[in-house]
Amino acid sequence: MNLDFLAKPMGMLVKLLYDMVSVFDTQYLSAYAISIILSTIIFKLIVMPLTLKQTKSMKKMQELNPKIQELQEKYGKDPQTLQRKQMELYKEAEYSPFAGCLPMLIQFPILIAFFYVIRSPEVYVFKNLEAYDLINKAFFWINDLRYTENFIFEGGIVNGLSMGGMTLPFIGAAVPIFAAISAFTTYLTSKMTMSTQPAGNEQAMATQKSMNMMMPVMIFVFGVQFPAGLGLYWVVSNVFQLIQQYVIMNSSKNPKEELK
């Protein structure tokens, strides 16, 4: 999938932000890192109407869960009647079970395009490798956001927190903090989402729990292998989404009114 038509304007946004904050460039927090953080927040704000709709839909499902469980207990042995009663309940509550799918489908190519930008800044942001090499790419404990957190530079300089000269299997010689935070926030988001799902049979629930445990592990594995700049993007994006989801799920406003 070629998403250059999306990646190019996103790269222009990162470059614009970089030029605006370049005066704040420091040894440990580069203007490039700041531009990644700001562009991630701007991106999340742009798609916020979609994510708000999705989160409010999750909250509505949470409110309907007790009634759905009652229907399952009453019509559990008659799947056709159970499905019909659930659809009637959804219609009465003005809830669509597919309301949360469309925002995810729309956001997915945009997310991939954003990954392109951060993975290849010399192509989409700074236009050539020489210009990219000249900028400061540090973020506190990370020397260069182009490399993975556990990357070992020539001359014995370690990018990250050294493990006393030891090399851990797969992880390497540095602590992948971004990967760990990404995995943890993904777990929290998945757990919060799972609490909104209607209770099903034990096998389905066990499968869902396994998926919720496997996803953070996969995110951690990917985070260790991806450039640290992608890790920074993922952490900021996850934290933003987690806060947004928590605020909406715990708001006192009637979810039926919110969905209108």
Side-chain angles (χ1 to χ4, degrees):
M1 183 188 300
N2 191 331
L3 296 177
D4 277 1
F5 70 99
L6 290 175
K8 287 180 179 179
M10 288 183 184
M12 293 172 62
L13 172 63
V14 175
K15 182 60 166 63
L16 175 64
L17 292 171
Y18 173 80
D19 292 338
M20 293 173 60
V21 301
S22 58
V23 294
F24 300 107
D25 195 275
T26 66
Q27 180 181 356
Y28 300 107
L29 183 59
S30 67
Y32 178 58
I34 297 174
S35 66
I36 291 176
I37 295 173
L38 292 178
S39 57
T40 304
I41 294 174
I42 290 174
F43 169 66
K44 297 298 290 186
L45 290 174
I46 291 174
V47 299
M48 181 177 284
L50 295 176
T51 55
L52 285 176
K53 187 73 174 179
Q54 180 183 6
T55 307
K56 290 172 182 177
S57 178
M58 290 165 49
K59 181 179 180 180
K60 183 62 180 177
M61 174 55 74
Q62 188 178 47
E63 295 290 327
L64 293 176
N65 267 341
K67 293 183 179 180
I68 293 176
Q69 291 178 10
E70 291 178 6
L71 292 177
Q72 289 174 341
E73 293 176 0
K74 188 174 182 179
Y75 303 104
K77 297 182 180 180
D78 187 352
Q80 292 183 346
T81 303
L82 175 59
Q83 184 177 9
R84 178 170 56 84
K85 291 292 185 180
Q86 283 182 341
M87 294 306 296
E88 291 176 356
L89 177 62
Y90 293 156
K91 184 177 181 180
E92 179 183 352
E94 300 180 8
Y95 167 79
S96 171
F98 306 106
C101 298
L102 183 59
M104 294 179 62
L105 293 175
I106 294 176
Q107 291 181 71
F108 184 72
I110 301 177
L111 289 172
I112 298 300
F114 202 90
F115 280 155
Y116 285 1
V117 171
I118 303 179
R119 184 183 59 185
S120 304
E122 72 281 3
V123 175
Y124 298 105
V125 183
F126 298 96
K127 304 306 179 183
N128 62 76
L129 184 59
E130 290 75 14
Y132 178 69
D133 285 339
L134 291 175
I135 71 167
N136 176 18
K137 296 173 283 291
F139 181 82
F140 294 107
W141 68 92
I142 298 172
N143 294 331
D144 194 331
L145 290 170
R146 177 171 43 180
Y147 298 96
T148 60
E149 288 186 85
N150 60 337
F151 184 83
I152 303 177
F153 290 93
E154 294 181 2
I157 300 176
V158 179
N159 179 25
L161 301 177
S162 175
M163 298 296 291
M166 298 176 59
T167 300
L168 302 178
F170 178 70
I171 293 179
V175 179
I177 298 177
F178 280 156
I181 297 176
S182 297
F184 181 63
T185 52
T186 298
Y187 168 75
L188 293 179
T189 304
S190 300
K191 186 175 181 181
M192 192 178 300
T193 301
M194 186 177 177
S195 68
T196 67
Q197 301 302 312
N201 57 62
E202 293 183 2
Q203 184 176 358
M205 294 295 291
T207 302
Q208 183 66 39
K209 288 182 179 179
S210 298
M211 289 295 293
N212 288 346
M213 293 301 295
M214 286 300 298
M215 184 58 69
V217 174
M218 292 175 59
I219 293 297
F220 178 80
V221 172
F222 293 149
V224 171
Q225 301 178 70
F226 284 164
L230 287 178
L232 176 59
Y233 157 77
W234 195 255
V235 168
V236 175
S237 180
N238 265 12
V239 171
F240 188 99
Q241 179 179 345
L242 189 62
I243 295 174
Q244 174 184 286
Q245 190 167 316
Y246 177 82
V247 170
I248 295 177
M249 297 299 292
N250 291 275
S251 65
S252 58
K253 192 174 181 179
N254 189 322
K256 185 174 179 179
E257 294 178 358
E258 291 179 335
L259 285 171
K260 291 184 177 180

